[in-house]
Amino acid sequence: INMATRTFSNSPYNLEGGGKVSARSTAYSDLDFTFLAKPGTGDLYVKTDAAAIKQSVYNLVMTNVSERPFQPHLGTNITAMLFENLDVATAMTIERHIRHTLGEYEPRIEVVDVLVTEDGANTLRAQLTYQIISSAEIVESIISMERIR
């Protein structure tokens, strides 16, 4: 986590800090999962703030239960449900799994809405709306999953 500083007021009593009182505001950053290197420097690209959180949300939703070592309960198991007939009960189960996983493992957001629909014969579409707690920004993510067998 990268910390930025924001000035709130000037104070004549704080002689060492130049007369400024400041507080930290959180800036989120994460490596871009494409792992592409920047031309010239060779550094990896970095995602920040809403883009970093959006990438984390996608990762959590697409993770299967028991897929991560030492975190056996993390994940939604959506890929296992892709071959189920998508009816109201299956859609509600997927929505519940997504809400639970994001609520448990992504403390930077508050889930506003999750809507799961069938988008074509072999595609499942999850539309997620969430609020980033530190900035009150509302973000919408659409995750499409396709059966390929």
Side-chain angles (χ1 to χ4, degrees):
I1 296 176
N2 185 8
M3 300 301 244
T5 304
R6 199 179 324 168
T7 301
F8 283 103
S9 66
N10 287 327
S11 171
Y13 305 109
N14 186 359
L15 301 176
E16 290 179 14
K20 295 183 179 181
V21 177
S22 62
R24 293 185 209 185
S25 99
T26 306
Y28 303 113
S29 64
D30 202 357
L31 293 176
D32 188 357
F33 286 156
T34 59
F35 292 107
L36 295 175
K38 292 180 184 177
T41 64
D43 294 340
L44 294 176
Y45 284 102
V46 175
K47 290 198 176 202
T48 58
D49 297 327
I53 293 173
K54 195 171 188 178
Q55 178 176 272
S56 175
V57 166
Y58 177 83
N59 238 7
L60 287 170
V61 169
M62 295 304 291
T63 299
N64 288 318
V65 174
S66 298
E67 183 176 323
R68 291 198 188 171
F70 307 108
Q71 292 181 313
H73 303 294
L74 185 139
T76 59
N77 242 12
I78 286 184
T79 54
M81 294 184 207
L82 278 175
F83 293 94
E84 300 290 330
N85 290 328
L86 186 64
D87 56 2
V88 175
T90 306
M92 288 176 60
T93 301
I94 293 170
E95 289 172 12
R96 190 176 66 248
H97 283 274
I98 291 172
R99 283 181 185 274
H100 171 74
T101 299
L102 294 179
E104 189 74 23
Y105 296 101
E106 186 50 85
R108 301 174 289 183
I109 66 168
E110 184 174 322
V111 178
V112 175
D113 191 32
V114 178
L115 179 64
V116 175
T117 57
E118 191 171 19
D119 191 20
N122 296 325
T123 305
L124 186 71
R125 181 176 184 255
Q127 182 176 340
L128 314 171
T129 307
Y130 50 90
Q131 180 178 7
I132 299 174
I133 294 173
S134 65
S135 68
E137 178 182 353
I138 301 289
V139 178
E140 185 174 291
S141 295
I142 296 174
I143 299 173
S144 293
M145 295 148 278
E146 187 175 348
R147 293 181 277 205
I148 55 174
R149 292 187 213 176

